[in-house]
Amino acid sequence: MNNILDEAKTLQEVIVKDRRYIHQNAELGHDLPITSEYVINRLKEMGYEPQVITDSAIVALAGGKKNGRTILLRADMDALPILEENGLDYKSTTKNMHACGHDAHASMLLGAAQILKNHEDELEGTVKLMFQPAEEQLSGAKAMIEAGVLENPKVDAAIMIHIFSGMPVPAGSLLVPNGGYVTSSGDMFHIDIKGKGGHGAMPNNSVDPLNVAAHIHISLQEIISREVPPSSTTVITIGQMHGGNASNIIPDTAFIQGSIRAFDEKEREYMKNRVVEISKGAASTFRAEANVEYRMECPSVYNNPELYGQVHKINVDLLGKKAVKGFDTAFPGGKMTGSEDFGYISEKVPSVMMALGGGSPEQGYPYPQHHPKVNFNEDVFYIGSAVYANTAIEWLKLSK
Ligand SMILES: [Zn+2]
Ligand SMILES: [Zn+2]
């Protein structure tokens, strides 16, 4: 029953070697020349024909010898602009750090690629490997969808794994969140307020954009307190308000930047529209103009309930009942109030996001993701490879 797990274990050293190389060469966003070249070369060594479909975005196919459906396995590969503070011998040599564990994702998927190659003749369909840039900017998945990652062959289901550290998730356990929304959406807005500058002693001759900004700020809070149901988990945060540079001058303009988080797609749309309406309304009330722009938008990840059932059972069979847990192990209520651009994939095809425990505080991993001292327990990486490969193999059998 645990053949794939045993097979993955024999690859553990290679997976760690891949991870450390990617870790040392941490790169950002859509431009991952060293990382993508490394992944392409590794895939070629295994006998794949990887394609670069857009900037640093790699797709490779396994199987396809037998007719069947197509499952996509996704790993991201980008790092964060953080200076690493770990004293590891494989510490990052760039100004960036793999502080979110995407180095682990890419190397675990490379491990899975090797397993799938070993079993290629047995695959009851096709496995599409997706190595994605720019997850941290929430733009890589979207770029790959636009470049056709879900077509040729058409993807019928998609899964991903995120490794977690510094959370109450024991190393090596697998979180398979229930069907439904599992991460929050993330929408970043920018509000430009146009008033009319003038002398601070004669406000009647001006239109004060700072006064308008203050009213917009207060008014936006009412969306949460008065308009969205109290039972729903939603956030509006204003992170920046700027305008003016002297105490006796009314400036011409001001701007506000903020973000919206929601789980439910309808509530998300509602809040996004209300930010625009309220900003424009408050501005016109006080004779100014406001223009709202969404500069970054990312939908929630939606775990498809049917696929969840299948993926959950496949992984209980692989790892045992005790090792497979719900998202509530890491997050109260079973929902993550962060965003993950796999949400764009889950909008288009039935998808499941999973998480792998990479060390809890009790196990000596006190730092959370995005911290300059975060690290992950490498001993569990082969489990991630096994989960990727085995879920694909078994799901393709189910869908025959
Ligand atoms: Zn991250
Ligand atoms: Zn991440």
Side-chain angles (χ1 to χ4, degrees), residues 100 102 136 370:
C100 204
H102 300 183
E136 294 294 351
H370 291 211

Side-chain angles (χ1 to χ4, degrees), residues 224-263:
I224 303 292
S225 74
R226 302 288 83 183
E227 299 188 11
V228 172
S231 55
S232 62
T233 310
T234 48
V235 177
I236 292 184
T237 289
I238 305 298
Q240 284 205 67
M241 294 177 74
H242 284 283
N245 53 19
S247 53
N248 58 352
I249 303 170
I250 294 169
D252 254 334
T253 59
F255 74 86
I256 297 173
Q257 286 192 342
S259 51
I260 297 173
R261 308 272 176 180
F263 287 94

Side-chain angles (χ1 to χ4, degrees), residues 264-335:
D264 186 90
E265 190 57 32
K266 285 197 193 95
E267 285 172 4
R268 175 191 178 209
E269 277 313 307
Y270 178 82
M271 290 164 74
K272 285 174 72 178
N273 290 334
R274 287 296 284 152
V275 167
V276 176
E277 284 171 8
I278 288 172
S279 301
K280 285 183 181 292
S284 76
T285 298
F286 299 107
R287 302 171 297 149
E289 275 172 42
N291 187 44
V292 183
E293 210 184 298
Y294 283 92
R295 295 190 170 175
M296 202 157 87
E297 302 172 283
C298 181
S300 297
V301 172
Y302 182 76
N303 270 11
N304 177 279
E306 192 191 342
L307 185 63
Y308 156 77
Q310 296 168 333
V311 168
H312 183 264
K313 185 181 182 306
I314 289 169
N315 283 290
V316 167
D317 290 347
L318 179 76
L319 303 172
K321 213 173 175 185
K322 262 178 89 180
V324 180
K325 301 171 193 294
F327 232 21
D328 50 354
T329 310
F331 308 105
K335 290 175 175 181

Side-chain angles (χ1 to χ4, degrees), residues 74-284:
R74 181 272 210 161
D76 40 18
M77 309 185 282
D78 59 316
L80 287 153
I82 296 174
L83 212 52
E84 180 161 9
E85 291 178 17
N86 281 321
L88 305 161
D89 37 329
Y90 56 91
K91 182 178 170 175
S92 175
T93 58
T94 71
K95 286 182 182 147
N96 312 312
M97 180 188 176
H98 271 290
C100 204
H102 300 183
D103 51 343
H105 304 163
S107 58
M108 293 191 309
L109 191 56
L110 284 173
Q114 184 62 67
I115 297 168
L116 291 165
K117 210 43 167 178
N118 299 346
H119 294 267
E120 193 159 34
D121 294 341
E122 304 148 40
L123 295 175
E124 306 273 1
T126 303
V127 184
K128 191 177 276 192
L129 308 172
M130 171 181 177
F131 291 90
Q132 182 204 307
E135 194 286 323
E136 294 294 351
Q137 301 167 355
L138 304 176
S139 53
K142 194 175 178 215
M144 287 189 76
I145 292 170
E146 283 164 5
V149 71
L150 299 178
E151 306 301 324
N152 294 324
K154 195 173 169 333
V155 171
D156 299 300
I159 62 161
M160 64 156 282
I161 302 173
H162 205 301
I163 195 159
F164 284 166
S165 189
M167 285 200 264
V169 183
S173 55
L174 185 74
L175 309 187
V176 187
N178 288 331
Y181 293 107
V182 295
T183 67
S184 76
S185 57
D187 295 295
M188 315 291 160
F189 56 82
H190 178 104
I191 308 170
D192 268 320
I193 302 157
K194 195 171 167 348
K196 187 179 161 208
H199 199 297
M202 291 172 276
N204 51 307
N205 292 333
S206 303
V207 175
D208 184 353
L210 298 179
N211 177 53
V212 172
H215 279 279
I216 290 175
H217 181 279
I218 299 292
S219 305
L220 292 182
Q221 308 309 315
E222 315 297 349
I223 300 173
I224 303 292
S225 74
R226 302 288 83 183
E227 299 188 11
V228 172
S231 55
S232 62
T233 310
T234 48
V235 177
I236 292 184
T237 289
I238 305 298
Q240 284 205 67
M241 294 177 74
H242 284 283
N245 53 19
S247 53
N248 58 352
I249 303 170
I250 294 169
D252 254 334
T253 59
F255 74 86
I256 297 173
Q257 286 192 342
S259 51
I260 297 173
R261 308 272 176 180
F263 287 94
D264 186 90
E265 190 57 32
K266 285 197 193 95
E267 285 172 4
R268 175 191 178 209
E269 277 313 307
Y270 178 82
M271 290 164 74
K272 285 174 72 178
N273 290 334
R274 287 296 284 152
V275 167
V276 176
E277 284 171 8
I278 288 172
S279 301
K280 285 183 181 292
S284 76

Side-chain angles (χ1 to χ4, degrees), residues 8-9 11-24 84 86 88-91 98 101 103-105 107-108 163-165 171-172 356-360 363-365 374-386:
K9 209 166 191 172
L11 297 171
Q12 168 68 9
E13 238 173 79
V14 184
I15 299 166
V16 168
K17 190 171 160 245
D18 288 342
R19 184 259 173 152
R20 290 186 177 188
Y21 182 86
I22 296 169
H23 189 88
Q24 281 184 304
E84 180 161 9
N86 281 321
L88 305 161
D89 37 329
Y90 56 91
K91 182 178 170 175
H98 271 290
D103 51 343
H105 304 163
S107 58
M108 293 191 309
I163 195 159
F164 284 166
S165 189
L356 178 67
S360 66
Q363 294 172 319
Y365 294 86
V374 69
N375 199 10
F376 302 87
N377 185 338
E378 292 180 319
D379 296 346
V380 307
F381 289 180
Y382 80 92
I383 299 173
S385 296

